[in-house]
Amino acid sequence: EAQVTQNPRYLITVTGKKLTVTCSQNMNHEYMSWYRQDPGLGLRQIYYSMNVEVTDKGDVPEGYKVSRKEKRNFPLILESPSPNQTSLYFCASRIIGGASYEQYFGPGTRLTVT
Amino acid sequence: DQQVKQNSPSLSVQEGRISILNCDYTNSMFDYFLWYKKYPAEGPTFLISISSIKDKNEDGRFTVFLNKSAKHLSLHIVPSQPGDSAVYFCAASEDAGGTSYGKLTFGQGTILTVHP
């Protein structure tokens, strides 16, 4: 089954404790992206990647890091989480050069930073 | 600066009637528009899209209309069903010609409730 998976689905942590949210897709998509969803703001892009070892900032990259060492994986790293990073996070992927810009989303990771 | 706006946070409709969800945008460079549906505890799923060279696209019960001069698009669901109850996001992309950047700019979302 074609899918994007994220782990963990739920995470409660404390300020300053480094964490990683994993994302994996099995569709051989070149493009992968991370979004955060906050009430009244919709989904905002954090980082994206066009292919292995190619990443760039989205609209809200502060406080986040990413890496793309393999095509299927795109982890999101919070080196020193803060309460304003409490949010619902989505990973997405899409094929590059296709007829549409449809992105496939993972199920989401709800992060709470206390 | 919200480039894509959904001004109605919620919409309530009776089963069998039409649901109309609206979306406005400000960036004239957007050339592709999508609607996503999101159920609780799930990721957004693609519903329907439209290119800026069209003014209408239809897929079963779902039709998207684009008015470029007004920078406005709408999603019509006819007839509405209780299973359509979800959050609907419109999104826009300013990529032209499939060149690959593919960033989506999302609206705030509209909660649709369809009553039996």
Side-chain angles (χ1 to χ4, degrees), chain A residues 9-10 31 35 37 40-43 45 48 50 57-59 88 90 94 96-108, chain B residues 2 31-32 34 36 38 41-46 49 87 89 93 95-109:
Chain A
R9 294 290 312 276
Y10 302 91
Y31 182 97
Y35 294 87
Q37 182 191 352
L41 296 176
L43 283 82
Q45 190 181 55
Y48 67 96
M50 302 290 284
K57 298 176 180 178
D59 295 322
L88 180 56
F90 292 101
R94 68 176 279 252
I96 286 180
S100 80
Y101 300 113
E102 176 188 351
Q103 293 188 20
Y104 297 81
F105 283 82
Chain B
Q2 194 86 21
D31 63 351
Y32 199 85
L34 306 89
Y36 278 83
K38 184 184 177 306
E42 295 183 12
T45 55
F46 171 74
S49 63
V87 180
F89 291 99
S93 175
D95 248 3
T99 52
S100 77
Y101 171 49
K103 173 187 171 182
L104 294 181
T105 301
F106 284 84
Q108 307 96 311

Coordinates of all heavy atoms in Angstrom, one line a residue, chain A residues 9-10 31 35 37 40-43 45 48 50 57-59 88 90 94 96-108, chain B residues 2 31-32 34 36 38 41-46 49 87 89 93 95-109:
Chain A
R9 N 3.3 9.0 16.7 CA 2.0 9.7 16.4 C 1.7 10.8 17.5 O 1.1 11.8 17.2 CB 0.9 8.8 16.4 CG 0.9 7.8 15.2 CD 0.7 8.5 13.9 NE -0.4 9.3 13.9 CZ -1.7 8.9 13.7 NH1 -1.9 7.7 13.5 NH2 -2.7 9.8 13.7
Y10 N 2.1 10.5 18.7 CA 1.9 11.4 19.8 C 3.2 11.5 20.6 O 3.9 10.5 20.9 CB 0.8 11.0 20.7 CG -0.5 10.8 20.0 CD1 -0.9 9.6 19.4 CD2 -1.4 11.9 19.9 CE1 -2.1 9.5 18.8 CE2 -2.6 11.8 19.2 CZ -2.9 10.5 18.6 OH -4.1 10.4 18.0
Y31 N 10.2 14.5 -3.9 CA 9.9 15.7 -3.1 C 9.3 15.2 -1.8 O 8.3 14.5 -1.8 CB 8.9 16.6 -3.9 CG 8.6 17.9 -3.2 CD1 9.2 19.0 -3.4 CD2 7.5 17.9 -2.3 CE1 8.9 20.2 -2.8 CE2 7.1 19.1 -1.6 CZ 7.8 20.2 -1.9 OH 7.5 21.4 -1.3
Y35 N 5.1 20.0 7.4 CA 4.2 21.1 7.7 C 3.9 21.1 9.1 O 3.9 20.0 9.8 CB 2.9 21.0 6.9 CG 3.1 21.1 5.4 CD1 3.4 20.0 4.6 CD2 2.9 22.3 4.7 CE1 3.5 20.1 3.2 CE2 3.0 22.5 3.4 CZ 3.3 21.4 2.6 OH 3.4 21.5 1.2
Q37 N 0.5 22.3 11.6 CA -0.9 22.8 11.5 C -1.2 23.5 12.9 O -1.1 22.8 13.9 CB -1.9 21.7 11.2 CG -3.3 22.3 11.2 CD -4.3 21.2 11.1 OE1 -4.0 20.0 11.0 NE2 -5.6 21.5 11.2
G40 N -6.4 28.3 13.2 CA -6.5 29.6 12.5 C -5.4 29.9 11.5 O -5.5 30.9 10.9
L41 N -4.4 29.0 11.4 CA -3.3 29.3 10.5 C -3.2 28.3 9.4 O -2.3 28.4 8.5 CB -2.0 29.3 11.3 CG -1.9 30.4 12.3 CD1 -0.6 30.3 13.1 CD2 -1.9 31.8 11.7
G42 N -3.9 27.2 9.4 CA -3.8 26.2 8.4 C -2.5 25.4 8.5 O -2.0 25.3 9.6
L43 N -2.0 24.9 7.4 CA -0.8 24.2 7.3 C 0.3 25.1 6.8 O 0.1 25.8 5.8 CB -0.9 23.0 6.4 CG -1.6 21.8 7.0 CD1 -3.1 21.9 6.9 CD2 -1.1 20.5 6.3
Q45 N 4.5 25.4 5.8 CA 5.6 24.6 5.4 C 6.9 24.9 6.3 O 7.2 26.1 6.4 CB 6.0 24.7 4.0 CG 7.0 23.7 3.5 CD 7.3 23.9 2.0 OE1 7.7 25.0 1.6 NE2 7.2 22.9 1.2
Y48 N 11.5 21.6 3.1 CA 11.2 20.7 2.0 C 12.5 20.1 1.5 O 13.6 20.6 1.7 CB 10.4 21.3 1.0 CG 11.0 22.4 0.2 CD1 11.6 22.1 -1.1 CD2 11.1 23.7 0.6 CE1 12.3 23.1 -1.8 CE2 11.7 24.7 -0.1 CZ 12.3 24.4 -1.3 OH 12.9 25.4 -2.0
M50 N 14.0 18.3 -2.3 CA 13.8 18.0 -3.7 C 14.3 16.6 -4.0 O 13.9 16.0 -5.0 CB 14.4 19.0 -4.6 CG 13.9 20.4 -4.4 SD 12.2 20.6 -4.9 CE 12.5 20.7 -6.7
K57 N 14.6 25.7 3.2 CA 13.7 26.2 4.2 C 12.3 26.5 3.6 O 12.2 26.9 2.4 CB 14.2 27.5 4.8 CG 15.5 27.3 5.6 CD 16.1 28.7 6.1 CE 17.4 28.5 6.8 NZ 17.9 29.8 7.3
G58 N 11.3 26.3 4.4 CA 10.0 26.7 4.0 C 9.6 28.0 4.7 O 10.5 28.9 4.8
D59 N 8.4 28.2 5.1 CA 8.0 29.5 5.7 C 8.3 29.6 7.1 O 8.5 30.8 7.6 CB 6.4 29.6 5.5 CG 6.1 29.7 4.0 OD1 6.8 30.4 3.3 OD2 5.0 29.1 3.6
L88 N 0.7 20.3 15.6 CA 0.4 19.0 14.8 C 1.3 19.1 13.6 O 1.2 20.0 12.8 CB -1.1 18.9 14.5 CG -1.6 17.7 13.7 CD1 -1.2 16.4 14.4 CD2 -3.1 17.8 13.5
F90 N 2.8 17.4 10.0 CA 2.6 16.5 8.9 C 3.8 16.4 8.0 O 4.3 17.4 7.6 CB 1.3 16.9 8.1 CG 0.1 16.8 8.9 CD1 -0.5 17.9 9.4 CD2 -0.6 15.5 9.0 CE1 -1.7 17.8 10.1 CE2 -1.8 15.4 9.7 CZ -2.3 16.5 10.2
R94 N 5.6 14.0 -2.8 CA 5.0 14.0 -4.1 C 6.1 13.7 -5.2 O 7.3 13.8 -4.9 CB 4.4 15.3 -4.5 CG 5.4 16.5 -4.6 CD 4.7 17.8 -5.1 NE 4.3 17.8 -6.5 CZ 5.0 18.5 -7.4 NH1 6.0 19.3 -7.0 NH2 4.6 18.5 -8.6
I96 N 8.0 14.5 -8.6 CA 8.3 15.7 -9.3 C 8.1 15.5 -10.8 O 8.4 14.5 -11.3 CB 9.8 16.0 -9.0 CG1 10.0 16.6 -7.6 CG2 10.3 17.1 -10.0 CD1 11.4 17.0 -7.2
G97 N 7.5 16.5 -11.4 CA 7.3 16.5 -12.8 C 6.0 15.8 -13.2 O 5.7 15.6 -14.4
G98 N 5.2 15.5 -12.3 CA 3.9 14.9 -12.6 C 2.9 15.9 -13.1 O 3.2 17.1 -13.1
A99 N 1.7 15.5 -13.4 CA 0.7 16.4 -14.0 C 0.1 17.3 -12.9 O -0.5 18.3 -13.3 CB -0.4 15.5 -14.7
S100 N 0.1 16.9 -11.7 CA -0.5 17.7 -10.7 C 0.5 17.9 -9.5 O 1.6 17.3 -9.5 CB -1.7 17.0 -10.1 OG -1.4 16.0 -9.2
Y101 N 0.1 18.8 -8.7 CA 1.0 19.1 -7.5 C 0.5 18.4 -6.3 O 0.8 18.8 -5.2 CB 1.0 20.6 -7.3 CG 1.6 21.3 -8.5 CD1 0.8 22.1 -9.3 CD2 2.9 21.1 -8.9 CE1 1.3 22.8 -10.4 CE2 3.4 21.7 -10.0 CZ 2.6 22.5 -10.8 OH 3.2 23.1 -11.9
E102 N -0.3 17.4 -6.4 CA -0.9 16.7 -5.3 C 0.2 16.1 -4.4 O 1.2 15.5 -4.9 CB -1.8 15.5 -5.8 CG -2.3 14.6 -4.7 CD -3.0 13.4 -5.2 OE1 -3.2 13.3 -6.4 OE2 -3.3 12.5 -4.4
Q103 N 0.1 16.4 -3.1 CA 1.0 15.8 -2.1 C 0.3 14.8 -1.3 O -0.9 15.0 -1.0 CB 1.6 16.9 -1.3 CG 2.5 17.9 -2.0 CD 3.3 18.8 -1.1 OE1 3.4 18.6 0.1 NE2 3.7 19.9 -1.7
Y104 N 1.0 13.7 -0.9 CA 0.4 12.7 -0.1 C 0.9 12.9 1.3 O 2.1 13.1 1.6 CB 0.9 11.3 -0.6 CG 0.4 11.0 -2.0 CD1 1.0 11.5 -3.1 CD2 -0.7 10.2 -2.1 CE1 0.6 11.2 -4.4 CE2 -1.2 9.9 -3.4 CZ -0.6 10.4 -4.5 OH -1.0 10.1 -5.8
F105 N 0.0 12.9 2.3 CA 0.3 13.3 3.6 C 0.4 12.1 4.5 O -0.4 11.1 4.4 CB -0.7 14.3 4.2 CG -0.5 15.7 3.7 CD1 -1.0 16.1 2.5 CD2 0.2 16.6 4.5 CE1 -0.8 17.3 2.0 CE2 0.4 17.9 4.0 CZ -0.1 18.3 2.8
G106 N 1.2 12.1 5.5 CA 1.2 11.2 6.6 C 0.1 11.4 7.6 O -0.6 12.4 7.5
P107 N 0.0 10.6 8.6 CA -1.2 10.7 9.5 C -1.0 11.8 10.6 O -2.0 12.1 11.3 CB -1.2 9.3 10.2 CG 0.2 8.9 10.2 CD 0.8 9.4 8.9
G108 N 0.2 12.3 10.7 CA 0.4 13.4 11.6 C 1.0 13.0 12.9 O 0.9 11.8 13.4
Chain B
Q2 N -1.5 36.3 5.0 CA -2.2 35.1 4.6 C -2.5 35.2 3.1 O -3.4 35.9 2.7 CB -3.4 34.9 5.4 CG -4.1 33.5 5.4 CD -3.5 32.5 6.4 OE1 -2.9 32.9 7.4 NE2 -3.6 31.3 6.1
D31 N -0.9 29.2 -9.9 CA -1.5 28.7 -11.1 C -2.1 27.3 -11.0 O -2.5 26.7 -12.0 CB -0.4 28.7 -12.2 CG 0.8 27.8 -11.9 OD1 0.8 27.3 -10.7 OD2 1.6 27.6 -12.8
Y32 N -2.1 26.8 -9.8 CA -2.7 25.5 -9.6 C -3.3 25.5 -8.2 O -2.7 25.9 -7.2 CB -1.6 24.4 -9.7 CG -2.2 23.0 -10.0 CD1 -2.5 22.6 -11.3 CD2 -2.4 22.1 -8.9 CE1 -3.0 21.4 -11.5 CE2 -2.9 20.9 -9.2 CZ -3.2 20.5 -10.5 OH -3.7 19.3 -10.8
L34 N -5.8 23.3 -5.2 CA -6.2 22.0 -4.7 C -7.1 22.1 -3.5 O -7.0 23.1 -2.8 CB -5.0 21.1 -4.3 CG -3.8 20.9 -5.3 CD1 -2.8 22.1 -5.2 CD2 -3.2 19.6 -5.1
Y36 N -8.2 19.8 -0.1 CA -7.9 18.6 0.7 C -9.0 18.5 1.7 O -9.5 19.5 2.2 CB -6.5 18.8 1.4 CG -5.3 18.4 0.5 CD1 -4.8 19.4 -0.4 CD2 -4.7 17.2 0.6 CE1 -3.7 19.0 -1.1 CE2 -3.6 16.8 -0.2 CZ -3.1 17.8 -1.0 OH -2.0 17.5 -1.8
K38 N -9.8 16.6 5.5 CA -9.1 16.1 6.7 C -10.1 15.6 7.7 O -10.8 16.4 8.2 CB -8.1 17.1 7.3 CG -7.3 16.5 8.4 CD -6.4 17.6 9.0 CE -5.6 17.0 10.2 NZ -6.5 16.4 11.2
A41 N -7.6 13.0 13.5 CA -6.5 12.0 13.7 C -6.0 11.4 12.4 O -5.4 10.3 12.4 CB -7.0 10.9 14.6
E42 N -6.2 12.0 11.3 CA -5.7 11.6 10.0 C -5.0 12.7 9.3 O -5.2 13.9 9.6 CB -6.8 11.0 9.1 CG -7.5 9.8 9.6 CD -8.5 9.2 8.7 OE1 -8.5 9.7 7.5 OE2 -9.3 8.3 9.1
G43 N -4.2 12.4 8.3 CA -3.6 13.4 7.5 C -4.5 13.9 6.4 O -5.5 13.2 6.1
P44 N -4.3 15.1 5.9 CA -5.1 15.6 4.8 C -5.0 14.6 3.6 O -4.0 14.1 3.3 CB -4.5 16.9 4.4 CG -3.7 17.3 5.6 CD -3.2 16.1 6.2
T45 N -6.2 14.5 2.9 CA -6.2 13.6 1.7 C -6.7 14.5 0.5 O -7.6 15.3 0.7 CB -7.1 12.4 1.8 OG1 -8.4 12.8 2.2 CG2 -6.6 11.5 2.9
F46 N -6.1 14.3 -0.6 CA -6.4 15.1 -1.8 C -7.8 14.8 -2.2 O -8.3 13.6 -2.3 CB -5.4 14.7 -2.9 CG -5.8 15.3 -4.2 CD1 -5.6 16.6 -4.5 CD2 -6.3 14.5 -5.2 CE1 -5.9 17.1 -5.7 CE2 -6.6 15.0 -6.5 CZ -6.4 16.3 -6.7
S49 N -8.6 19.1 -7.8 CA -7.7 20.2 -8.1 C -8.2 20.9 -9.4 O -9.0 20.4 -10.2 CB -6.3 19.7 -8.3 OG -6.2 18.8 -9.4
V87 N -12.7 18.6 7.9 CA -12.1 20.0 7.7 C -11.7 20.0 6.2 O -11.0 19.0 5.8 CB -11.0 20.2 8.6 CG1 -10.4 21.6 8.3 CG2 -11.4 20.1 10.1
F89 N -9.5 22.0 3.4 CA -8.4 23.0 3.2 C -8.3 23.3 1.7 O -8.3 22.4 0.9 CB -7.1 22.5 3.7 CG -6.9 22.4 5.2 CD1 -7.1 21.2 5.8 CD2 -6.6 23.5 5.9 CE1 -6.9 21.0 7.1 CE2 -6.5 23.4 7.3 CZ -6.6 22.2 7.9
S93 N -0.6 26.6 -5.5 CA 0.8 26.5 -5.8 C 1.2 27.5 -6.9 O 0.3 27.7 -7.8 CB 1.1 25.1 -6.3 OG 2.4 25.0 -6.8
D95 N 3.8 27.1 -8.9 CA 4.7 26.5 -9.8 C 4.1 26.5 -11.2 O 2.9 26.1 -11.3 CB 5.0 25.0 -9.4 CG 6.4 24.9 -9.1 OD1 7.2 25.8 -9.1 OD2 6.8 23.7 -8.8
A96 N 4.8 26.8 -12.2 CA 4.2 26.8 -13.6 C 4.9 25.7 -14.4 O 6.1 25.5 -14.3 CB 4.5 28.2 -14.2
G97 N 4.1 25.0 -15.2 CA 4.7 24.1 -16.1 C 5.3 22.8 -15.5 O 6.2 22.2 -16.1
G98 N 5.0 22.5 -14.2 CA 5.5 21.3 -13.6 C 7.0 21.4 -13.4 O 7.7 20.4 -13.4
T99 N 7.5 22.5 -13.0 CA 8.9 22.6 -12.8 C 9.4 22.1 -11.5 O 10.6 22.1 -11.3 CB 9.3 24.1 -13.0 OG1 8.6 24.9 -12.1 CG2 9.2 24.6 -14.4
S100 N 8.5 21.7 -10.6 CA 9.0 20.9 -9.6 C 9.0 21.5 -8.2 O 9.1 20.7 -7.2 CB 10.3 20.3 -9.9 OG 11.3 21.2 -9.8
Y101 N 9.0 22.7 -8.0 CA 9.2 23.2 -6.6 C 8.0 22.7 -5.7 O 8.2 22.2 -4.7 CB 9.4 24.7 -6.6 CG 9.3 25.3 -5.2 CD1 10.1 24.8 -4.2 CD2 8.5 26.4 -5.0 CE1 10.0 25.4 -2.9 CE2 8.5 27.0 -3.8 CZ 9.2 26.5 -2.7 OH 9.2 27.1 -1.5
G102 N 6.8 23.0 -6.2 CA 5.6 22.3 -5.7 C 5.2 22.8 -4.3 O 4.4 22.1 -3.7
K103 N 5.7 23.9 -3.8 CA 5.2 24.3 -2.5 C 3.7 24.6 -2.5 O 3.2 25.3 -3.4 CB 6.0 25.6 -2.1 CG 5.4 26.2 -0.8 CD 6.1 27.5 -0.5 CE 5.4 28.2 0.7 NZ 6.0 29.5 0.9
L104 N 3.0 24.1 -1.5 CA 1.6 24.4 -1.4 C 1.4 25.4 -0.3 O 2.0 25.3 0.8 CB 0.8 23.1 -1.0 CG 0.8 22.1 -2.1 CD1 0.0 20.9 -1.6 CD2 0.2 22.6 -3.4
T105 N 0.6 26.5 -0.5 CA 0.2 27.4 0.5 C -1.2 27.2 0.8 O -2.1 27.2 -0.1 CB 0.4 28.9 -0.1 OG1 1.7 29.1 -0.4 CG2 0.0 29.9 1.0
F106 N -1.5 26.9 2.1 CA -2.8 26.5 2.5 C -3.6 27.6 3.2 O -3.1 28.5 3.8 CB -2.7 25.4 3.6 CG -2.3 24.0 3.0 CD1 -1.0 23.7 2.8 CD2 -3.3 23.1 2.8 CE1 -0.6 22.5 2.3 CE2 -2.9 21.8 2.3 CZ -1.6 21.5 2.0
G107 N -5.0 27.5 3.0 CA -5.9 28.3 3.8 C -6.0 27.7 5.2 O -5.4 26.7 5.6
Q108 N -6.8 28.4 6.0 CA -7.0 28.1 7.4 C -7.9 26.9 7.7 O -7.9 26.3 8.7 CB -7.6 29.3 8.2 CG -6.8 30.6 8.1 CD -7.5 31.4 7.0 OE1 -7.7 31.0 5.9 NE2 -7.7 32.7 7.4
G109 N -8.7 26.5 6.6 CA -9.6 25.4 6.8 C -11.0 25.8 7.1 O -11.2 26.8 7.8

